[in-house]
Amino acid sequence: MKLQAQFPLLGLNTLAIDSVAEYFVSAESIEDVTAAINEAQAKNLDIKVLGGGSNVVMADCVSGLVLKYAANDCELISEDNEFVTLRVDAGFEWHSFVLYTLAHGWYGLENLSYIPGTVGAAPVQNIGAYGVEVKDSIVSVSGVYLENAESFTLMSDQCDFSYRESCFKQALNGKTLITAVEFKLSKKPNVKISYAPLNKMAQELGVPSPQLLSDWVVSVRKSKLPEPSKLPNAGSFFKNPVVSISVFEKIQGEYPDIPNYPQTNAVKLPAGWLIDQLGLKGHSFGPVSVHKKQALVLVNNGGSGKDVEAAAAEIKSRVKAKYNIELEQEPRVFC
Ligand code: FAD
Ligand code: NAP
């Protein structure tokens, strides 16, 4: 385990930003992580933890140490007639893990198929898609604190999970490296098909098995979302705003067609629709364009992190001017 200086990050982020890390290391074990933390402290380096790089915006130069955890085992911890509990290393690629669970007849993650990234990043923003959030299957999250390399385990109810949020983005933001996640999955299928594209397919083809549902999710996503390897992007660039009922009613008065999803005492509005109504689908801000099929996705055509941030700031300000809604950026900035 040796820190590498001036390490290129171009291939390690899905926005394909041509960035350089002051130092980089890929840790294969917890011992490697401890050694890397000690060395960073000795060199007075700030540590940034990187997974698959699918939810980050890189500056031209990322200061300090970029630390990746590469261990990727999966261990069956316990099993009964109904459930299994698995302990999965943070470096396991997320979609491969979903396919692995389905191949074993362990269910609950099928709606989260084809989300890029790693198992370790999944709890960070409580990844979600098609009405399912990863928190529903998480038992606990283990890792180390970056300030002293001490280990921790937080039970699911201690992780402050909410819509695309967790303590790892809030109170513990930038302070931990997650090394493993424990999942409880069901042996009995219980498919969730409330989202329109899945519901439509179920009406035409019948209620799917979890494996088939995963295939449907993959095909819907492929038809709508750009592949980062071809059109570099970080998925949804903004979170869907959740506004109070009174704010929603005011907006709906002006825009009666606005799609909306009621929550407890609040309403979720699709940020993609808000951006689309500004006529921005397919629009370019220099090297960064709004994807032509999904206005929530920004595609980087060779721009820098600054170009991406500038495009995002312009979109935010136009949304604010038109609807008086403050969009919140989803990808984290590494600088
Ligand atoms: P990174 O981008 O490397 O890191 C993201 C954040 O997590 C950073 O703050 C980083 O420091 C932190 N982090 C990463 N690993 C660790 C670790 N081991 N310990 C501590 N902190 C860590 N997200 C969804 O929720 N739902 C979707 O449907 C979805 N679809 C997407 C589609 C596309 C095409 C793309 C490009 C992205 C999509 N995303 C989606 C966003 C992204 O895939 C997820 O947020 C994913 O969990 C990020 O994983 P990663 O390993 O790439 O994390
Ligand atoms: P979509 O189906 O066009 O829907 C637009 C938005 O409306 C979604 O973001 C979704 O919110 C919301 N929505 C749709 N149907 C809903 C329902 N029945 N109940 C509550 N909310 C509903 O979205 P899409 O872009 O194709 O994405 C499909 C799914 O993949 C979504 O869940 C989305 O979050 C997820 N996704 C996430 C990312 C990311 O980077 N975070 C990228 C691509 C796709 P939610 O986002 O709250 O589900």
Side-chain angles (χ1 to χ4, degrees):
M1 199 279 320
K2 190 170 177 302
L3 308 198
Q4 292 171 271
Q6 296 301 306
F7 192 86
L9 297 172
L10 177 63
L12 297 181
N13 73 96
T14 61
L15 276 165
I17 293 170
D18 194 359
S19 162
V20 173
E22 188 180 356
Y23 288 96
F24 174 83
V25 72
S26 177
E28 303 290 331
S29 63
I30 295 187
E31 291 70 34
D32 275 0
V33 170
T34 307
I37 292 174
N38 289 340
E39 205 167 332
Q41 276 173 354
K43 286 188 153 74
N44 205 14
L45 303 172
D46 177 36
I47 301 177
K48 276 127 195 167
V49 177
L50 182 66
S54 62
N55 215 14
V56 288
V57 180
M58 302 288 189
D60 293 350
C61 299
V62 177
S63 64
L65 172 64
V66 172
L67 171 56
K68 214 173 138 71
Y69 187 61
N72 60 359
D73 269 356
C74 174
E75 190 188 346
L76 178 63
I77 301 283
S78 66
E79 171 168 30
D80 61 23
N81 287 340
E82 276 186 75
F83 297 103
V84 290
T85 307
L86 306 170
R87 184 180 170 84
V88 191
D89 286 335
F92 207 125
E93 199 250 330
W94 176 261
H95 180 60
S96 305
F97 170 58
V98 173
L99 295 182
Y100 175 88
T101 62
L102 289 170
H104 284 80
W106 301 330
Y107 307 125
L109 301 177
E110 44 281 358
N111 294 48
L112 305 179
S113 297
Y114 216 57
I115 297 180
T118 53
V119 165
V124 174
Q125 75 152 4
N126 178 24
I127 56 168
Y130 300 101
V132 170
E133 293 181 318
V134 73
K135 73 175 172 61
D136 301 331
S137 301
I138 289 181
V139 177
S140 66
V141 177
S142 298
V144 297
Y145 294 108
L146 297 173
E147 63 172 9
N148 53 16
E150 272 180 24
S151 58
F152 69 84
T153 294
L154 293 177
M155 301 311 288
S156 182
D157 62 1
Q158 297 175 301
C159 293
D160 296 336
F161 287 127
S162 62
Y163 181 60
R164 304 291 190 271
E165 282 295 345
S166 76
C167 63
F168 307 105
K169 268 179 87 176
Q170 297 294 334
L172 293 177
N173 185 18
K175 295 188 171 146
T176 63
L177 180 141
I178 294 166
T179 50
V181 182
E182 251 184 61
F183 295 90
K184 183 175 177 181
L185 300 176
S186 174
K187 291 183 173 178
K188 294 190 182 141
N190 178 18
V191 292
K192 309 257 171 32
I193 48 173
S194 64
Y195 269 42
L198 306 179
N199 199 270
K200 191 163 166 269
M201 288 168 97
Q203 279 180 19
E204 284 163 13
L205 303 166
V207 175
S209 66
Q211 290 88 341
L212 185 57
L213 182 55
S214 168
D215 293 345
W216 290 1
V217 168
V218 173
S219 72
V220 173
R221 293 181 72 105
K222 282 187 172 169
S223 71
K224 201 168 170 186
L225 292 165
E227 287 288 345
S229 56
K230 296 195 181 103
L231 295 173
N233 74 88
S236 304
F237 208 85
F238 301 101
K239 283 166 69 171
N240 290 320
V242 178
V243 300
S244 67
I245 291 167
S246 60
V247 167
F248 166 65
E249 284 172 350
K250 199 160 160 256
I251 297 173
Q252 195 186 35
E254 263 188 85
Y255 306 99
D257 295 342
I258 188 165
N260 58 90
Y261 302 98
Q263 316 283 294
T264 320
N265 298 324
V267 180
K268 183 178 70 180
L269 303 175
W273 187 90
L274 302 175
I275 298 167
D276 194 8
Q277 295 304 299
L278 291 162
L280 289 178
K281 238 184 209 171
H283 184 83
S284 291
F285 296 92
V288 179
S289 52
V290 177
H291 185 53
K292 56 181 189 301
K293 289 192 193 162
Q294 168 50 291
L296 202 45
V297 176
L298 299 187
V299 174
N300 183 27
N301 310 294
S304 65
K306 270 194 194 133
D307 293 323
V308 175
E309 288 294 316
E314 181 58 33
I315 293 166
K316 273 182 79 164
S317 103
R318 292 192 195 188
V319 167
K320 172 81 178 161
K322 182 157 177 159
Y323 310 99
N324 197 24
I325 288 179
E326 200 80 54
L327 287 184
E328 195 187 327
Q329 180 166 325
E330 196 178 277
R332 321 260 68 210
V333 177
F334 274 26
C335 53

Short mmCIF file of all heavy atoms in Angstrom, two decimals, residues 55 125 128-131 163-164 194-197 220-221 224-225 234-237 240 261 263 268-271 294 296-297 330, ligand 2:
data_model
loop_
_atom_site.label_atom_id
_atom_site.label_comp_id
_atom_site.label_asym_id
_atom_site.label_seq_id
_atom_site.Cartn_x
_atom_site.Cartn_y
_atom_site.Cartn_z
N ASN A 55 -21.24 9.83 -8.39
CA ASN A 55 -22.04 10.90 -7.78
C ASN A 55 -21.14 12.01 -7.24
O ASN A 55 -21.41 12.56 -6.18
CB ASN A 55 -22.93 10.32 -6.67
CG ASN A 55 -24.27 11.02 -6.59
OD1 ASN A 55 -24.66 11.75 -7.50
ND2 ASN A 55 -24.98 10.82 -5.50
N GLN A 125 -26.18 8.16 0.31
CA GLN A 125 -27.35 8.98 -0.03
C GLN A 125 -28.62 8.12 -0.02
O GLN A 125 -29.62 8.49 -0.62
CB GLN A 125 -27.17 9.70 -1.35
CG GLN A 125 -27.27 8.89 -2.61
CD GLN A 125 -27.75 9.73 -3.78
OE1 GLN A 125 -27.94 10.94 -3.67
NE2 GLN A 125 -27.97 9.10 -4.92
N GLY A 128 -32.06 5.31 -4.07
CA GLY A 128 -33.46 4.95 -4.28
C GLY A 128 -33.82 4.99 -5.74
O GLY A 128 -33.21 5.71 -6.53
N ALA A 129 -34.79 4.18 -6.10
CA ALA A 129 -35.32 4.21 -7.46
C ALA A 129 -36.62 3.42 -7.49
O ALA A 129 -36.75 2.40 -6.78
CB ALA A 129 -34.34 3.62 -8.47
N TYR A 130 -37.55 3.89 -8.29
CA TYR A 130 -38.82 3.18 -8.52
C TYR A 130 -39.50 2.78 -7.21
O TYR A 130 -39.97 1.65 -7.05
CB TYR A 130 -38.58 1.95 -9.43
CG TYR A 130 -38.01 2.38 -10.76
CD1 TYR A 130 -36.65 2.26 -11.03
CD2 TYR A 130 -38.82 2.96 -11.73
CE1 TYR A 130 -36.12 2.69 -12.24
CE2 TYR A 130 -38.29 3.39 -12.94
CZ TYR A 130 -36.94 3.25 -13.18
OH TYR A 130 -36.42 3.68 -14.37
N GLY A 131 -39.52 3.74 -6.27
CA GLY A 131 -40.29 3.54 -5.05
C GLY A 131 -39.63 2.70 -3.97
O GLY A 131 -40.26 2.35 -2.98
N TYR A 163 -35.05 10.73 2.56
CA TYR A 163 -35.04 10.78 1.10
C TYR A 163 -33.68 11.26 0.57
O TYR A 163 -33.33 12.41 0.73
CB TYR A 163 -36.18 11.71 0.64
CG TYR A 163 -36.30 11.86 -0.85
CD1 TYR A 163 -36.54 10.75 -1.66
CD2 TYR A 163 -36.19 13.10 -1.46
CE1 TYR A 163 -36.65 10.89 -3.03
CE2 TYR A 163 -36.31 13.24 -2.82
CZ TYR A 163 -36.53 12.14 -3.59
OH TYR A 163 -36.65 12.27 -4.96
N ARG A 164 -32.91 10.35 -0.02
CA ARG A 164 -31.56 10.61 -0.56
C ARG A 164 -30.63 11.24 0.49
O ARG A 164 -29.77 12.05 0.16
CB ARG A 164 -31.61 11.53 -1.80
CG ARG A 164 -32.49 11.05 -2.91
CD ARG A 164 -31.94 9.81 -3.61
NE ARG A 164 -32.72 9.55 -4.81
CZ ARG A 164 -33.82 8.78 -4.83
NH1 ARG A 164 -34.22 8.16 -3.73
NH2 ARG A 164 -34.49 8.61 -5.94
N SER A 194 -45.28 0.10 -8.25
CA SER A 194 -46.17 1.26 -8.24
C SER A 194 -45.75 2.33 -9.26
O SER A 194 -46.59 3.10 -9.70
CB SER A 194 -46.20 1.88 -6.83
OG SER A 194 -44.91 2.36 -6.50
N TYR A 195 -44.47 2.38 -9.63
CA TYR A 195 -44.05 3.44 -10.56
C TYR A 195 -44.58 3.14 -11.97
O TYR A 195 -44.58 1.97 -12.41
CB TYR A 195 -42.52 3.57 -10.58
CG TYR A 195 -42.02 4.57 -9.55
CD1 TYR A 195 -42.56 4.62 -8.28
CD2 TYR A 195 -41.02 5.48 -9.86
CE1 TYR A 195 -42.11 5.54 -7.33
CE2 TYR A 195 -40.56 6.40 -8.92
CZ TYR A 195 -41.11 6.43 -7.67
OH TYR A 195 -40.68 7.34 -6.74
N ALA A 196 -45.00 4.21 -12.66
CA ALA A 196 -45.75 4.07 -13.92
C ALA A 196 -45.13 3.12 -14.94
O ALA A 196 -45.84 2.23 -15.44
CB ALA A 196 -46.00 5.44 -14.52
N PRO A 197 -43.82 3.22 -15.26
CA PRO A 197 -43.33 2.35 -16.33
C PRO A 197 -43.41 0.87 -15.96
O PRO A 197 -43.70 0.02 -16.81
CB PRO A 197 -41.86 2.77 -16.51
CG PRO A 197 -41.62 3.92 -15.62
CD PRO A 197 -42.79 4.13 -14.74
N VAL A 220 -35.83 -0.17 -18.83
CA VAL A 220 -36.39 1.19 -18.78
C VAL A 220 -35.26 2.19 -18.60
O VAL A 220 -35.20 3.22 -19.27
CB VAL A 220 -37.42 1.34 -17.62
CG1 VAL A 220 -37.87 2.79 -17.47
CG2 VAL A 220 -38.62 0.44 -17.82
N ARG A 221 -34.33 1.86 -17.71
CA ARG A 221 -33.22 2.79 -17.45
C ARG A 221 -32.37 2.98 -18.70
O ARG A 221 -31.96 4.08 -19.03
CB ARG A 221 -32.38 2.30 -16.27
CG ARG A 221 -33.13 2.35 -14.94
CD ARG A 221 -32.26 1.87 -13.80
NE ARG A 221 -31.26 2.86 -13.52
CZ ARG A 221 -31.28 3.68 -12.47
NH1 ARG A 221 -32.22 3.62 -11.58
NH2 ARG A 221 -30.33 4.56 -12.29
N LYS A 224 -33.81 5.37 -21.20
CA LYS A 224 -34.04 6.75 -20.80
C LYS A 224 -32.79 7.49 -20.33
O LYS A 224 -32.65 8.69 -20.55
CB LYS A 224 -35.05 6.70 -19.65
CG LYS A 224 -35.78 7.97 -19.45
CD LYS A 224 -36.95 7.76 -18.52
CE LYS A 224 -37.51 9.11 -18.14
NZ LYS A 224 -38.54 8.98 -17.13
N LEU A 225 -31.91 6.74 -19.70
CA LEU A 225 -30.75 7.41 -19.09
C LEU A 225 -29.50 7.18 -19.93
O LEU A 225 -29.28 6.08 -20.44
CB LEU A 225 -30.50 6.83 -17.69
CG LEU A 225 -31.56 7.15 -16.65
CD1 LEU A 225 -31.39 6.24 -15.44
CD2 LEU A 225 -31.47 8.61 -16.24
N ALA A 234 -23.62 12.17 -14.11
CA ALA A 234 -23.65 11.72 -12.71
C ALA A 234 -25.08 11.40 -12.28
O ALA A 234 -25.44 11.59 -11.11
CB ALA A 234 -23.03 12.78 -11.81
N GLY A 235 -25.89 10.94 -13.23
CA GLY A 235 -27.29 10.65 -12.90
C GLY A 235 -28.06 11.94 -12.66
O GLY A 235 -27.71 12.99 -13.23
N SER A 236 -29.05 11.88 -11.79
CA SER A 236 -29.83 13.09 -11.49
C SER A 236 -28.93 14.12 -10.85
O SER A 236 -28.29 13.83 -9.85
CB SER A 236 -30.96 12.77 -10.51
OG SER A 236 -31.75 11.74 -11.03
N PHE A 237 -28.90 15.31 -11.43
CA PHE A 237 -27.98 16.31 -10.88
C PHE A 237 -28.58 17.04 -9.69
O PHE A 237 -27.87 17.58 -8.85
CB PHE A 237 -27.53 17.30 -11.96
CG PHE A 237 -26.18 17.85 -11.65
CD1 PHE A 237 -25.02 17.16 -12.02
CD2 PHE A 237 -26.04 19.01 -10.92
CE1 PHE A 237 -23.77 17.63 -11.68
CE2 PHE A 237 -24.78 19.49 -10.57
CZ PHE A 237 -23.65 18.80 -10.96
N ASN A 240 -35.16 15.86 -6.15
CA ASN A 240 -36.52 16.36 -6.37
C ASN A 240 -36.91 17.18 -5.15
O ASN A 240 -36.83 16.69 -4.03
CB ASN A 240 -37.50 15.20 -6.54
CG ASN A 240 -37.27 14.47 -7.85
OD1 ASN A 240 -37.02 15.11 -8.87
ND2 ASN A 240 -37.36 13.16 -7.84
N TYR A 261 -46.24 14.45 -6.26
CA TYR A 261 -46.32 13.20 -5.50
C TYR A 261 -46.46 13.53 -4.02
O TYR A 261 -45.50 13.99 -3.39
CB TYR A 261 -45.08 12.35 -5.77
CG TYR A 261 -44.93 12.04 -7.24
CD1 TYR A 261 -44.08 12.79 -8.05
CD2 TYR A 261 -45.70 11.05 -7.84
CE1 TYR A 261 -43.98 12.56 -9.41
CE2 TYR A 261 -45.61 10.80 -9.21
CZ TYR A 261 -44.75 11.55 -9.98
OH TYR A 261 -44.67 11.32 -11.33
N GLN A 263 -46.51 13.63 -0.11
CA GLN A 263 -45.76 12.99 0.99
C GLN A 263 -46.50 13.36 2.28
O GLN A 263 -47.49 14.08 2.22
CB GLN A 263 -44.34 13.57 1.08
CG GLN A 263 -43.63 13.75 -0.25
CD GLN A 263 -43.09 12.45 -0.80
OE1 GLN A 263 -42.21 11.87 -0.22
NE2 GLN A 263 -43.64 11.97 -1.91
N LYS A 268 -43.82 16.20 -3.21
CA LYS A 268 -42.57 16.08 -3.97
C LYS A 268 -42.84 16.48 -5.42
O LYS A 268 -43.81 16.02 -6.01
CB LYS A 268 -42.06 14.63 -3.90
CG LYS A 268 -40.74 14.42 -4.60
CD LYS A 268 -40.26 12.98 -4.45
CE LYS A 268 -41.12 12.03 -5.25
NZ LYS A 268 -40.72 10.63 -5.15
N LEU A 269 -41.97 17.35 -5.95
CA LEU A 269 -42.12 17.80 -7.33
C LEU A 269 -40.95 17.28 -8.15
O LEU A 269 -39.81 17.32 -7.68
CB LEU A 269 -42.14 19.34 -7.38
CG LEU A 269 -43.20 20.03 -6.52
CD1 LEU A 269 -43.02 21.54 -6.57
CD2 LEU A 269 -44.60 19.63 -7.00
N PRO A 270 -41.20 16.79 -9.37
CA PRO A 270 -40.07 16.28 -10.16
C PRO A 270 -39.21 17.42 -10.71
O PRO A 270 -39.66 18.21 -11.53
CB PRO A 270 -40.74 15.49 -11.29
CG PRO A 270 -42.17 15.86 -11.28
CD PRO A 270 -42.49 16.60 -10.02
N ALA A 271 -37.97 17.48 -10.25
CA ALA A 271 -37.06 18.55 -10.67
C ALA A 271 -36.87 18.51 -12.19
O ALA A 271 -36.71 19.56 -12.82
CB ALA A 271 -35.71 18.39 -9.96
N GLN A 294 -33.89 13.29 -20.50
CA GLN A 294 -34.16 13.45 -19.06
C GLN A 294 -33.45 14.72 -18.58
O GLN A 294 -32.23 14.75 -18.44
CB GLN A 294 -33.68 12.19 -18.31
CG GLN A 294 -33.62 12.25 -16.81
CD GLN A 294 -34.87 12.77 -16.12
OE1 GLN A 294 -35.18 13.96 -16.23
NE2 GLN A 294 -35.57 11.90 -15.41
N LEU A 296 -33.09 16.13 -15.92
CA LEU A 296 -32.42 16.14 -14.62
C LEU A 296 -30.96 15.69 -14.72
O LEU A 296 -30.20 15.79 -13.77
CB LEU A 296 -33.20 15.19 -13.70
CG LEU A 296 -33.09 15.36 -12.19
CD1 LEU A 296 -33.19 16.80 -11.78
CD2 LEU A 296 -34.18 14.54 -11.52
N VAL A 297 -30.60 15.19 -15.90
CA VAL A 297 -29.24 14.66 -16.09
C VAL A 297 -28.39 15.65 -16.89
O VAL A 297 -28.80 16.08 -17.97
CB VAL A 297 -29.30 13.30 -16.82
CG1 VAL A 297 -27.89 12.78 -17.12
CG2 VAL A 297 -30.07 12.28 -16.00
N GLU A 330 -27.28 17.08 -6.11
CA GLU A 330 -27.09 15.75 -5.53
C GLU A 330 -25.60 15.34 -5.48
O GLU A 330 -25.12 14.92 -4.42
CB GLU A 330 -27.92 14.72 -6.29
CG GLU A 330 -28.09 13.43 -5.55
CD GLU A 330 -28.95 12.43 -6.29
OE1 GLU A 330 -30.18 12.52 -6.19
OE2 GLU A 330 -28.39 11.55 -6.96
P1 NAP B 2 -39.51 9.33 -13.77
O1 NAP B 2 -40.14 7.99 -13.82
O2 NAP B 2 -39.47 10.16 -15.02
O3 NAP B 2 -40.19 10.18 -12.64
C1 NAP B 2 -39.76 11.52 -12.38
C2 NAP B 2 -39.72 11.72 -10.89
O4 NAP B 2 -41.03 11.61 -10.37
C3 NAP B 2 -38.86 10.66 -10.23
O5 NAP B 2 -37.66 11.26 -9.90
C4 NAP B 2 -39.69 10.15 -9.06
O6 NAP B 2 -39.19 10.52 -7.80
C5 NAP B 2 -41.05 10.81 -9.20
N1 NAP B 2 -42.05 9.75 -9.32
C6 NAP B 2 -42.43 9.09 -10.45
N2 NAP B 2 -43.42 8.23 -10.18
C7 NAP B 2 -43.64 8.30 -8.84
C8 NAP B 2 -44.50 7.62 -7.95
N3 NAP B 2 -45.36 6.69 -8.38
N4 NAP B 2 -44.44 7.94 -6.64
C9 NAP B 2 -43.59 8.87 -6.18
N5 NAP B 2 -42.73 9.55 -6.99
C10 NAP B 2 -42.76 9.26 -8.29
O7 NAP B 2 -38.00 9.20 -13.23
P2 NAP B 2 -36.70 8.69 -13.96
O8 NAP B 2 -35.79 9.82 -14.15
O9 NAP B 2 -37.03 7.82 -15.13
O10 NAP B 2 -36.06 7.78 -12.82
C11 NAP B 2 -36.69 6.58 -12.41
C12 NAP B 2 -36.25 6.23 -11.01
O11 NAP B 2 -34.83 6.09 -10.97
C13 NAP B 2 -36.61 7.32 -9.99
O12 NAP B 2 -36.99 6.69 -8.79
C14 NAP B 2 -35.33 8.09 -9.81
O13 NAP B 2 -35.17 8.60 -8.50
C15 NAP B 2 -34.26 7.02 -10.07
N6 NAP B 2 -33.07 7.65 -10.66
C16 NAP B 2 -32.25 8.33 -9.81
C17 NAP B 2 -31.10 8.92 -10.31
C18 NAP B 2 -30.13 9.63 -9.39
O14 NAP B 2 -29.02 9.91 -9.81
N7 NAP B 2 -30.50 9.91 -8.16
C19 NAP B 2 -30.80 8.82 -11.66
C20 NAP B 2 -31.68 8.15 -12.47
C21 NAP B 2 -32.82 7.55 -11.97
P3 NAP B 2 -38.03 9.72 -7.01
O15 NAP B 2 -36.78 10.22 -7.61
O16 NAP B 2 -38.24 10.19 -5.62
O17 NAP B 2 -38.24 8.27 -7.19
#
